[in-house]
Every structure is written in C-alpha cells, then in structure tokens.
Amino acid sequence: MKTDASGSIQWQNTIGGNDYEELNSIQQTSDDGYILGGFSNSYISGDKTENSIGPWIVKTNTSGNIQWQKTIGGSNDGLFNSTDQRRDLFGGSTIDSIGYEMRTIG
C-alpha cells in the first residue's frame, strides 16, 4: 500500500502466490518504482511466476504492478533482507541440502 503524506491511500496491491510470503526489505528505485526483498514459500501460483521457493526479489513500477521477479535458492528456507538500488545488490541467506549460504547478486 502506498499513502500520501496525510495517510490517504494512493494505491494498494497484494503480491504473492498461494502459500506464505514475507517482505523484509523495500526501497524506492530511481524510476519511482519499488524493489521488494523477502521470502516466498509459493511455487507458481497467483503472482508467483517461478517454480521455486526461497529468497524472493520483486521489482514493481510506480503503481505497484510487478515488472519482474526472481526467486533464488533451493527447496528450503531463506530470505532477502537487504537491497541497495545504487549498486543493484541483494543480500540474504538460504538453507538447503548443501548447508548455509550467503548470496549477493550484482
């Protein structure tokens, strides 16, 4: 949901699949859209376009509509907890059959 300075809703959108999603990071991008980082526990369903669960990045336009998304990881838990528009970096962790792992995409 986006509000103006007085708290009036400008737009709202629900993003996700048919299971559990968690948002941990949001940042406005240079094109006035948003980059969202978190976790998805949904396979392809709803707005989810990739058949993978784990750390999930979603880029929206200025109206909150999805422009692209990427799920990174295996079949277990993980999340993106930091985004940096200036450097196109996304940091997080995932847990899968090979153990703990830190990934930075750039």
Side-chain angles (χ1 to χ4, degrees), residues 25-27 29 33-37 57-60 68 83 90:
S25 176
I26 184 169
Q27 184 178 27
T29 56
Y34 298 90
I35 194 83
L36 316 172
I57 306 167
V58 179
K59 168 68 172 76
T60 71
W68 58 262
T83 59
F90 308 91

Side-chain angles (χ1 to χ4, degrees), residues 3-15:
T3 64
D4 61 20
S6 65
S8 297
I9 296 173
Q10 294 181 322
W11 57 260
Q12 57 186 343
N13 188 7
T14 302
I15 297 173

Side-chain angles (χ1 to χ4, degrees), residues 89-101:
L89 296 175
F90 308 91
S93 61
T94 182
I95 303 168
D96 54 32
S97 60
I98 62 172
Y100 291 93
E101 181 177 353

Side-chain angles (χ1 to χ4, degrees), residues 14-22 39-50 56 58 66 69:
T14 302
I15 297 173
N18 293 339
D19 208 323
Y20 172 79
E21 274 72 49
E22 179 180 312
F39 171 79
S40 175
N41 198 44
S42 297
Y43 292 100
I44 295 174
S45 58
D47 295 319
K48 187 75 186 305
T49 59
E50 295 180 309
W56 190 37
V58 179
I66 295 174
Q69 60 184 285

Side-chain angles (χ1 to χ4, degrees), residues 2 28-34 59-63:
K2 182 178 181 186
Q28 191 164 25
T29 56
S30 58
D31 64 358
D32 292 329
Y34 298 90
K59 168 68 172 76
T60 71
N61 63 16
T62 189
S63 299

